[in-house]
Amino acid sequence: MRADRLVATLLLMQARGRVTAKEVAAEFETSVATARRDLEALSAAGIPVYPQAGRGGGWQLLGGARTDLSGLTSAEARALFLLVGPAASVVPEAKSALRKLVHALPDSFRTDAEAAAEAVVIDPARWGRPRRAQPPLVTELQVAVIQRRKVRLSYRGWDRDPVERLCDPWGLVEKNEVWYLLGGVDGAQRTFRIERIIWAVVTDEPADRPDDFDLAEAWNRVVRDVNQQRESASTIVVTNTEIVPFLREQFGELAVEDTAIDGHQARVRISAPAEIMLARGLAGWGEYIDVLEPASVRSELMRLGAAIVERNGP
């Protein structure tokens, strides 16, 4: 007998006050006999669930006890289901949880909550690009975070050989379909891009986590640090105003600052972690841009151009 079905049955009784075994069976797609055994199991476990004999009877919580799902208001319930609803379309566990939450709501809230759950669909994929698959390690790392277990992993940075770490997992973050693990290594906070983790093993060793750790605040600090790193190198170019939106999409909204020169041209400052990344990003726009400074970016563009001609020319 599954514990989640028992919980769902109890929530259903709390929402409706009284149910019959036939109603429970129809709600959870089980037999009447199974529903009756579930109700008897709740009663045997000490929960004040009692059968009511006769016409109009059924099973009822002692005293008609009911719940409004921890005191949620109608507006709060609607906001909750607007948030959870989109996930239910792609995650089976979320769909099951949503159904149980609906049953826990008072009748007066239920219609709006169900409508809210179906009101929004989130499609994170960009036009012309398939949605990025969630890295297989995400599920395993989620378990490690929840159960507070250390993780031994092998990680390859974009510019270095793999290294092995013993990490205290503190939380996971998804940003623009890319997953990150925040954790502690030798007492210091580290950020791992999960798709660069070669392998990971959840150990039986308890993980350490600071008592005052807040995942949202920690991630905000990571974002600030990354934005600062993105400004390590910069270049000034002149280009057509029509090109500026494409540069923003390529380098990032915060990395591009433009000032209009006239109705057709703009002076643009572009930032990136390194000059070579600037040059490689601008190489595809060669016929539309004039690099004013620094000279080192111009030199790198010339080197790239010569390499392209040499490799692909007649």
Side-chain angles (χ1 to χ4, degrees):
M1 189 175 299
R2 297 184 59 184
D4 59 347
R5 195 174 66 234
L6 292 178
V7 172
T9 301
L10 178 59
L11 291 176
L12 178 64
M13 295 186 70
Q14 289 176 322
R16 297 188 182 179
R18 177 183 296 171
V19 296
T20 66
K22 184 177 180 180
E23 290 173 345
V24 173
E27 191 69 37
F28 302 114
E29 300 177 351
T30 65
S31 67
V32 174
T34 297
R36 187 176 294 110
R37 286 195 297 269
D38 287 352
L39 292 162
E40 291 171 350
L42 290 173
S43 180
I47 298 173
V49 174
Y50 297 96
Q52 302 292 320
R55 185 179 179 87
W59 290 76
Q60 186 173 0
L61 287 174
L62 183 64
R66 299 171 70 105
T67 181
D68 61 355
L69 199 58
S70 302
L72 287 179
T73 66
S74 177
E76 290 170 340
R78 188 165 53 249
L80 173 64
F81 280 78
L82 279 170
L83 179 66
V84 179
S89 63
V90 294
V91 182
E93 291 82 359
K95 186 175 183 178
S96 175
L98 198 65
R99 183 178 65 180
K100 295 173 184 177
L101 288 174
V102 168
H103 294 325
L105 290 172
D107 292 340
S108 58
F109 291 3
R110 198 172 299 158
T111 300
D112 282 353
E114 290 177 327
E118 299 174 354
V120 177
V121 171
I122 297 177
D123 182 2
R126 299 174 66 180
W127 290 109
R129 300 182 184 180
R131 182 179 180 181
R132 298 180 67 162
Q134 177 177 292
L137 284 175
V138 167
T139 300
E140 190 172 355
L141 293 172
Q142 285 174 334
V143 173
V145 171
I146 295 170
Q147 295 183 350
R148 302 286 181 91
R149 298 295 180 185
K150 289 183 182 290
V151 175
R152 189 172 299 278
L153 56 84
S154 178
Y155 186 76
R156 178 189 285 115
W158 72 274
D159 61 347
R160 57 182 66 94
D161 294 330
V163 293
E164 188 173 314
R165 302 291 191 204
L166 182 63
C167 173
D168 295 306
W170 295 345
L172 300 175
V173 175
E174 181 190 14
K175 182 177 178 65
N176 194 27
E177 296 189 301
V178 178
W179 284 84
Y180 300 88
L181 168 67
L182 270 64
V185 176
D186 296 329
Q189 180 177 315
R190 294 288 184 268
T191 303
F192 300 94
R193 185 164 172 158
I194 293 180
E195 62 188 23
R196 293 178 182 163
I197 298 178
I198 302 172
W199 54 261
V201 176
V202 180
T203 72
D204 293 329
E205 186 177 351
D208 297 321
R209 174 171 169 159
D211 294 335
D212 60 349
F213 178 76
D214 184 284
L215 181 59
E217 292 181 0
W219 180 248
N220 286 336
R221 291 193 295 269
V222 170
V223 171
R224 287 196 297 268
D225 292 343
V226 170
N227 286 335
Q228 290 177 358
Q229 292 173 9
R230 290 175 65 91
E231 297 179 358
S232 299
S234 64
T235 185
I236 304 295
V237 305
V238 172
T239 186
N240 297 336
T241 54
E242 293 87 353
I243 303 299
V244 176
F246 297 102
L247 294 176
R248 293 188 187 280
E249 183 175 356
Q250 180 175 351
F251 289 96
E253 192 74 23
L254 300 178
V256 177
E257 302 174 7
D258 65 298
T259 303
I261 296 176
D262 53 37
H264 303 286
Q265 288 190 311
R267 179 186 176 95
V268 185
R269 180 182 184 273
I270 306 173
S271 302
E275 288 187 350
I276 189 172
M277 297 178 71
L278 287 168
R280 291 183 181 277
L282 292 172
W285 302 101
E287 65 205 270
Y288 299 103
I289 63 170
D290 293 314
V291 178
L292 302 184
E293 58 180 76
S296 53
V297 173
R298 286 201 305 271
S299 297
E300 182 62 21
L301 276 172
M302 293 172 61
R303 186 192 70 79
L304 290 172
I308 292 172
V309 171
E310 180 180 354
R311 193 173 187 87
N312 299 279

